[in-house]
Amino acid sequence: MAVGTPTLVERLRANIATVQERIARAAARAGRDPAAITIVAVAKTFGPQMVEAAYAAGLRHFGENRVQEAEEKLGVLDPSVVAGSTWHLVGHLQTNKARLAARLFRVVQSIDSLRVAQALEQGCARAGTSCDVLIQVNLARTPGQFGLPEEAVAEVARGILALPHLRLRGLMTIAPQVEDPELVRPHFRRMRELAEQLRRAVPEASWDVLSMGMTEDFEVAVEEGATMVRLGRAIFGERH
C-alpha cells in the first residue's frame, strides 16, 4: 500500500511538530526533558493510509482501542511500517481477546484486573511473545470507566510480577472530561504521587511509565509528570 500523498504526510508532519512544540513548552515549565515523553498516536477509526502517513512523518508508537480493529489494520499495513512501529492497546481488553492481543500488541496499557493480566500471560505464552503492561487506574471512580481504584493497584501489581511473559512498567489513567484542563491537574498530580508510592511499596517493578493526557489535556499531564501521552485528534484531525 502506498504511504499516501505528500500533502497528507506534510499535514501530519505539521501537526506532529505543533504537538512537539507544545510538549516542549510544558516540559520546560516543569523543568523536564521533553525527550522523556513518548507520543502514542491513537489511530482509532483512522485507516491504514493515515497510519502509514504518520509513520512517514516520523511517529513510531501507535494506539488502538479495539483488538479487532487493530487486527484488520495491521493485516493491510505496509510490512515495513508494522516492523518499525510499536503498537499499544489503549482500550479495554476482554479476556476472550487476550490471545489475539498477545500477537498484535507489544504494550497493553489497560490492565484493569489480575484476571485480564493472566489471560494475556496465557496468550503470550502460546504465541511465544512478551508484553509490556500498564495498570489502568480509575482514580476519579468515574462510573462506566474501566480501571482499578488506587487502593487495589499494589495487590494486582504483585500478581502481575509473577507472570513471566509480562513486564509491568507503570500506570495509565483517563482523566474526567472537563472544559478547562486545569480542573484535572489534581488528578494527574495524584497519579504521579501514586506511582511514587508504588516504587516504594512494590520496588520489583520499574514504574517508569506514566501514561496520561490526551488531546484536551496533555500539556497539563506533561507538567505533572506524564512520560507518555495518547493523542488522536491532535495528530490526525477530527474523527469521522
Side-chain angles (χ1 to χ4, degrees):
M1 179 180 296
V3 165
T5 65
T7 301
L8 176 58
V9 174
E10 289 303 318
R11 178 166 65 83
L12 295 186
R13 187 174 286 129
N15 290 347
I16 294 164
T18 298
V19 165
Q20 289 171 331
E21 289 171 7
R22 292 170 65 184
I23 287 174
R25 289 196 296 267
R29 290 192 291 270
R32 301 183 62 205
D33 180 0
I37 296 135
T38 299
I39 297 170
V40 178
V42 180
K44 177 181 71 172
T45 76
F46 294 109
Q49 184 184 34
M50 292 288 277
V51 173
E52 292 177 353
Y55 184 90
L59 292 184
R60 294 296 180 267
H61 291 262
F62 297 93
E64 285 287 351
N65 283 64
R66 296 174 60 248
V67 175
Q68 187 172 347
E69 183 176 348
E71 181 185 29
E72 294 169 357
K73 204 169 293 181
L74 285 163
V76 296
L77 281 170
D78 186 297
S80 65
V81 173
V82 176
S85 55
T86 299
W87 285 77
H88 301 240
L89 179 64
V90 298
H92 178 63
L93 176 59
Q94 297 174 305
T95 54
N96 64 354
K97 296 291 195 305
R99 187 172 181 178
L100 179 56
R103 290 197 293 106
L104 300 176
F105 298 100
R106 295 284 65 81
V107 184
V108 174
Q109 297 201 17
S110 50
I111 297 296
D112 56 9
S113 71
L114 184 56
R115 184 170 65 91
V116 168
Q118 290 167 337
L120 182 62
E121 163 70 20
Q122 292 172 3
C124 287
R126 289 192 184 100
T129 62
S130 60
C131 194
D132 288 352
V133 298
L134 308 181
I135 295 175
Q136 182 173 351
V137 184
N138 186 353
L139 195 62
R141 301 178 188 268
T142 304
Q145 187 182 105
F146 293 103
L148 289 167
E150 62 178 292
E151 63 271 15
V153 173
E155 181 179 357
V156 171
R158 293 185 182 100
I160 292 172
L161 288 168
L163 305 175
H165 294 84
L166 304 187
R167 294 180 296 269
L168 178 57
R169 297 290 305 278
L171 303 174
M172 184 270 266
T173 194
I174 300 171
Q177 291 187 339
V178 294
E179 290 188 8
D180 182 1
E182 283 297 323
L183 296 176
V184 294
R185 185 180 293 278
H187 183 98
F188 293 143
R189 184 171 297 155
R190 177 58 194 144
M191 280 296 296
R192 186 188 71 233
E193 293 169 352
L194 177 60
E196 292 168 354
Q197 291 172 4
L198 289 163
R199 287 188 189 100
R200 296 189 293 271
V202 191
E204 299 87 350
S206 63
W207 304 111
D208 60 334
V209 177
L210 191 53
S211 175
M212 58 186 193
M214 297 190 290
T215 292
E216 299 84 356
D217 52 26
F218 71 90
E219 288 157 298
V220 173
V222 168
E223 290 173 358
E224 293 300 332
T227 66
M228 191 173 284
V229 293
R230 309 180 305 275
L231 306 179
R233 287 181 292 108
I235 300 295
F236 296 111
E238 293 299 325
R239 302 185 192 279
H240 299 290

